[in-house]
Amino acid sequence: MNTAGLAILIRMGNCLCAKKTIKVNGRQYYIREQLGEGGFSTVNLVEDSSSHKLYALKHITCHAQSDQKVALAEVEYHKALSHPNIVECIDSDLVGMPDLMGNRTSQVLIVLPYCQRGTLHDELMRRQRAGSHLDEVVVLSMFRQICEAVLCMHSAKPHPLAHRDIKTSNILLKDDLTPLLMDLGSVAKARLEISSSSEARKLQDEAAERSSMPYRPPELFNVESHCHIDERTDVWSLGCLLYALCFFKSPFDAVYERGDSVALAVVSGSFKFPEPHPFSQDLQELIESILKVNPDERPYVDWIINKVDQLINKSSGAV
């Protein structure tokens, strides 16, 4: 064997020996590559060492008990919310204990399905580059499934839950375009009675940390000291997502990208439909009916699903 061939074999051997592994509940996975990163969490593509199936492994680093509590709540929400359009938690594990004084952290590991197609954001960016809109019936079908996932959360017992960060990058897509709502780290009780300025500031700070600006509802930008918050925070985000399904981005993404005030644009409810476009007046009116600045004027998700069904039937020619 020549020197070059030997060098290649040595490099291959080094790669195999150095392959990083991680264990979740005693099950070993090879780490293939990083898929995403944000805040205190990373998502890696991993391979089960026994079955060789691919998964996405979410790795949350917890610096304090409060961080760990939030991360473990995400696991519990996965267990409580079983739905075909909510991503499944395949396994989970807690490693270590956080200790600020001792500069120690814990790790919450969550094994999730791997979707090769990526997120809805990825799909829409590919389509934007190609100038290829989704067909209106496909838009309505995908949106309906996402609404069904959200309805599952809003119907949760003993109290309704809100996702609070619905956006295109939190929707995974299966190969057949079936959407899966993911990232339950922002989930919280949907209905809150805010009765003081300190409670209002706390909710506003949480929203600033967990809810992406171009999809955040007006009432979470400037939380009043005496107000009622309910699941229609998610309905605003769904309106932004429906707009993105049609036009590739949230109606407030351009404001964000320009560096202008997203809060001002959202609170004023100011957005436009790009022209020309292939979508019906009915679909535009549905978006407008959802994106109401006053949450009391917004519909609930079951009304939206019924409306979408009517539009699908109309588009397919059904009576």
Side-chain angles (χ1 to χ4, degrees):
M1 182 181 291
N2 60 31
T3 307
L6 182 60
I8 290 169
L9 277 180
I10 290 171
R11 283 201 301 274
M12 287 174 64
N14 287 341
C15 289
L16 288 169
C17 294
K19 187 181 283 188
K20 289 185 179 179
T21 63
I22 191 166
K23 285 190 175 181
V24 181
N25 276 332
R27 196 169 189 88
Q28 182 170 272
Y29 298 87
Y30 299 123
I31 299 174
R32 298 270 294 260
E33 63 180 273
Q34 185 170 301
L35 296 174
E37 185 176 14
F40 296 110
S41 68
T42 57
V43 179
N44 289 312
L45 175 64
V46 297
E47 175 190 342
D48 187 304
S49 63
S50 300
S51 69
H52 301 291
K53 284 188 67 175
L54 297 178
Y55 297 96
L57 177 65
K58 185 171 184 177
H59 186 137
I60 307 170
T61 300
C62 307
H63 294 271
Q65 287 285 351
S66 56
D67 300 334
Q68 183 174 292
K69 184 178 179 181
V70 171
L72 291 174
E74 181 172 348
V75 174
E76 292 306 309
Y77 286 134
H78 270 291
K79 292 176 181 177
L81 298 166
S82 177
H83 190 276
N85 298 110
I86 297 177
V87 73
E88 175 193 7
C89 173
I90 292 162
D91 202 356
S92 64
D93 203 357
L94 170 64
V95 180
M97 287 297 290
D99 181 357
L100 284 171
M101 299 297 291
N103 198 27
R104 290 193 296 271
T105 61
S106 66
Q107 321 295 321
V108 174
L109 308 173
I110 306 175
V111 182
L112 304 164
Y114 170 60
C115 293
Q116 190 172 358
R117 193 160 193 150
T119 66
L120 178 57
H121 172 79
D122 299 329
E123 178 74 17
L124 293 174
M125 291 304 94
R126 286 191 291 266
R127 288 182 169 275
Q128 184 178 40
R129 288 191 292 271
S132 172
H133 292 275
L134 287 163
D135 182 79
E136 181 160 328
V137 173
V138 175
V139 166
L140 291 169
S141 174
M142 291 175 71
F143 183 62
R144 190 193 191 285
Q145 292 175 78
I146 295 164
C147 286
E148 287 281 3
V150 175
L151 181 60
C152 173
M153 302 184 77
H154 292 183
S155 306
K157 303 296 182 187
H159 47 74
L161 298 170
H163 187 282
R164 295 270 174 85
D165 196 23
I166 296 168
K167 56 183 179 179
T168 56
S169 56
N170 276 342
I171 306 292
L172 276 176
L173 290 181
K174 296 169 76 171
D175 289 341
D176 63 357
L177 288 180
T178 297
L180 300 173
L181 182 60
M182 68 169 186
D183 197 352
L184 305 188
S186 57
V187 172
K189 288 183 179 180
R191 297 174 185 173
L192 299 172
E193 294 295 337
I194 303 298
S195 56
S196 69
S197 56
S198 61
E199 289 178 356
R201 279 196 303 273
K202 181 174 182 290
L203 179 57
Q204 193 167 309
D205 290 345
E206 286 175 358
E209 182 182 341
R210 300 180 190 176
S211 304
S212 301
M213 288 183 78
Y215 291 83
R216 193 186 308 164
E219 62 270 27
L220 294 185
F221 275 101
N222 186 17
V223 181
E224 298 177 4
S225 55
H226 290 84
C227 66
H228 172 74
I229 301 291
D230 66 23
E231 55 267 41
R232 285 173 291 184
T233 52
D234 282 347
V235 168
W236 175 275
S237 303
L238 284 171
C240 294
L241 188 137
L242 178 55
Y243 183 102
L245 277 166
C246 297
F247 307 113
F248 310 117
K249 293 183 178 183
S250 158
F252 305 102
D253 262 317
V255 180
Y256 181 77
E257 289 162 4
R258 288 196 305 267
D260 293 341
S261 173
V262 178
L264 192 62
V266 168
V267 170
S268 69
S270 176
F271 70 93
K272 295 179 180 178
F273 295 107
E275 296 288 351
H277 65 75
F279 300 102
S280 68
Q281 183 65 31
D282 287 337
L283 185 47
Q284 291 180 69
E285 289 174 1
L286 176 59
I287 293 170
E288 289 171 339
S289 70
I290 297 171
L291 288 176
K292 296 290 188 183
V293 172
N294 183 348
D296 291 333
E297 295 177 7
R298 273 177 232 148
Y300 289 92
V301 176
D302 52 356
W303 181 92
I304 297 173
I305 292 170
N306 288 334
K307 191 67 177 177
V308 169
D309 284 342
Q310 291 172 27
L311 296 187
I312 290 173
N313 290 335
K314 187 174 181 179
S315 296
S316 62
V319 178

